[in-house]
């Protein structure tokens, strides 16, 4: 293991991302503020390139490659937002990319990944081990494997979103972050510790997949079976060695929300803020709403300045309509 990334690494990542990643908007909602009695600041990574924050980490990691790594290129395994992030980052940096994706990945995701000029290698989820396959291909072709969250350069890249947020808002009182493998949460916590030492930072996972919460309680990384949840970007089975170490040190707590709460948040974003947010991207806001409802008696949220990371907006439209129609 390398040493843990620091805020200095986030500053360096921000410099690398300048002119390549979007500086995403920080949106407000008077309706949300009135309804939940807090001041919400939404950092909208659904408007990031490729539709999710993952472009930040992927681009930062690939931009640090040396000449030999650049000529051989990058490899990743993912059926989700990390695949497109690595594919686009590689294209912008003019290097080859190979993405290992499941045979039964949605056609739209395969097309999007190929659309960024990446080579796609398909595998059978039921009979093949994608990590072993990716490692074999990496060795054969001399390519560098970039994992979706447990990598210092990926974590530092993800941390640039909260750096931008707090540069714009000043120090916030609370910050809610969507949590899967913990790249976004650990990077966000590093940025928050530097820019707002008093800020309470919460990672938010799906109720069905609370491995992060269990890990904090146990004091070691807990592995779970792939959880059943509509938050497909947070179906991770465990945190990483780097992400767990940072989360354990710098995060206030880990909260969970149900799929029904995610759909309510998704509807709020659509109706009130006119934004398409994927289920996983709704984790943070769903928990922020629940926290304010729980604390209504004490008016604990009154006037509190709350940062909410809206992590992504990639959802198949037929699926999106189906989820919104269901309740
Ligand atoms: C990957 C992803 C997450 C989870 O991020 P981690 O760094 O794995 O914790 C959350 N939301 C979206 C939209 C994602 O693509």
């Amino acid at each position: 293991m390398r040493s843990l990334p620091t805020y200095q690494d986030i500053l360096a990542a921000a410099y690398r991302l300048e002119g390549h990643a979007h500086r995403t908007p920080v949106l407000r909602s008077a309706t949300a503020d009135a309804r939940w009695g807090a001041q919400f600041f939404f950092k909208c990574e659904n408007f990031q390139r490729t539709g999710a924050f993952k472009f930040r980490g992927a681009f930062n990691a690939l931009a640090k490659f040396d000449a030999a790594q650049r000529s051989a290129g990058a490899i990743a395994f993912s059926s989700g937002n990390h695949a497109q992030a690595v594919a686009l980052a590689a294209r912008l940096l003019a290097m080859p990319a190979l993405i290992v994706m499941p045979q039964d990945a949605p056609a739209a995701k395969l097309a999007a990944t190929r659309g960024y000029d990446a080579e796609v290698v398909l595998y059978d989820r039921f009979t093949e081990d994608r990590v072993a396959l990716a490692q074999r291909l990496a060795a054969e072709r001399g390519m560098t494997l970039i994992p979706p969250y447990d990598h210092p350069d990926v974590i530092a890249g993800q941390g640039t979103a909260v750096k931008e947020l707090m540069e714009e808002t000043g120090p916030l009182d609370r910050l809610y972050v969507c949590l899967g493998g913990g790249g976004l949460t650990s990077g966000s916590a590093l940025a928050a510790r530097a820019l707002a030492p008093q800020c309470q930072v919460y990672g938010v996972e799906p109720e069905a997949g609370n491995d992060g919460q269990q890990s904090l309680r146990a004091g070691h990384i807990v592995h779970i079976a792939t959880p059943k949840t509509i938050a497909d970007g947070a179906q991770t089975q465990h945190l990483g060695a780097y992400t767990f170490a940072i989360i354990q040190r710098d995060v206030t707590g880990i909260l969970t929300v149900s799929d029904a709460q995610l759909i309510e948040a998704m509807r709020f974003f659509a109706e009130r803020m006119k934004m398409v947010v994927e289920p996983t991207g709704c984790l943070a806001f769903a928990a922020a709403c629940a926290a304010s409802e729980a604390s209504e008696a004490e008016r604990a949220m009154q006037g509190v300045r709350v940062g909410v990371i809206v992590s992504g907006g990639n959802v198949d439209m037929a699926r999106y309509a189906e989820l919104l129609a269901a309740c």
Side-chain angles (χ1 to χ4, degrees):
M1 222 169 123
R2 282 161 54 181
S3 56
L4 295 180
T6 66
Y7 185 62
Q8 286 309 312
D9 297 306
I10 295 177
L11 292 177
Y15 182 75
R16 283 182 206 104
L17 288 170
E18 184 100 46
H20 299 287
H22 294 318
R23 193 180 176 102
T24 53
V26 177
L27 298 185
R28 306 292 315 271
S29 163
T31 308
D33 291 2
R35 190 176 301 173
W36 287 285
Q39 282 181 268
F40 290 105
F41 298 87
F42 298 94
K43 179 64 171 168
C44 295
E45 288 296 298
N46 50 317
F47 297 132
Q48 186 49 266
R49 294 186 85 168
T50 70
F53 71 91
K54 288 218 172 58
F55 178 72
R56 296 175 181 271
F59 189 91
N60 185 49
L62 269 57
K64 287 188 72 179
F65 280 11
D66 64 24
Q69 287 178 302
R70 274 175 194 250
S71 69
I75 181 166
F77 50 85
S78 164
S79 54
N81 291 332
H82 182 61
Q84 286 152 65
V86 170
L88 176 60
R91 188 174 78 183
L92 293 172
L93 293 162
M95 63 173 91
L98 192 160
I99 313 291
V100 176
M101 296 181 86
Q103 245 160 26
D104 56 353
K109 291 202 165 160
L110 287 174
T113 307
R114 289 192 176 116
Y116 292 121
D117 299 336
E119 182 186 347
V120 173
V121 171
L122 299 174
Y123 74 101
D124 181 344
R125 277 199 298 142
F126 301 98
T127 61
E128 282 178 287
D129 175 359
R130 64 178 189 172
V131 181
L133 175 61
Q135 280 169 346
R136 180 168 60 72
L137 289 166
E140 278 172 15
R141 305 203 195 179
M143 294 178 119
T144 304
L145 182 62
I146 298 298
Y149 52 87
D150 204 28
H151 188 292
D153 302 335
V154 171
I155 293 169
Q158 317 306 31
T160 58
V162 165
K163 172 184 176 287
E164 290 174 7
L165 169 65
M166 293 213 193
E167 277 170 1
E168 208 164 316
T169 63
L172 295 169
D173 302 311
R174 289 194 200 178
L175 179 68
Y176 292 90
V177 188
C178 309
L179 170 63
L184 182 62
T185 302
S186 54
S188 298
L190 289 175
R193 285 292 153 261
L195 297 171
Q198 307 304 319
C199 181
Q200 297 182 329
V201 180
Y202 294 97
V204 185
E205 351 176 74
E207 211 166 71
N210 72 333
D211 60 286
Q213 200 173 48
Q214 291 184 43
S215 301
L216 275 195
R217 285 188 190 136
H220 59 84
I221 299 170
V222 171
H223 291 238
I224 60 168
T226 302
K228 283 199 176 59
T229 167
I230 59 169
D232 55 356
Q235 280 180 312
T236 39
Q237 293 172 265
H238 55 86
L239 299 177
Y242 292 100
T243 60
F244 178 64
I246 297 167
I247 287 172
Q248 211 178 16
R249 187 189 64 194
D250 289 337
V251 165
T252 311
I254 296 184
L255 308 169
T256 64
V257 295
S258 67
D259 281 3
Q261 287 174 294
L262 291 177
I263 293 175
E264 265 179 57
M266 205 163 80
R267 167 166 293 126
F268 184 90
F269 283 134
E271 270 180 4
R272 296 294 172 165
M273 299 179 73
K274 317 302 167 197
M275 325 198 268
V276 174
V277 182
E278 65 183 277
T280 315
C282 295
L283 284 164
F285 186 49
C289 297
S292 95
E293 279 156 17
S295 66
E296 202 165 26
E298 317 98 79
R299 298 244 164 259
M301 287 281 266
Q302 211 67 53
V304 169
R305 287 157 47 84
V306 179
V308 171
I309 309 298
V310 182
S311 57
N314 292 326
V315 51
D316 177 76
M317 279 300 112
R319 170 92 177 124
Y320 183 69
E322 192 183 296
L323 288 170
L324 285 180
C327 76

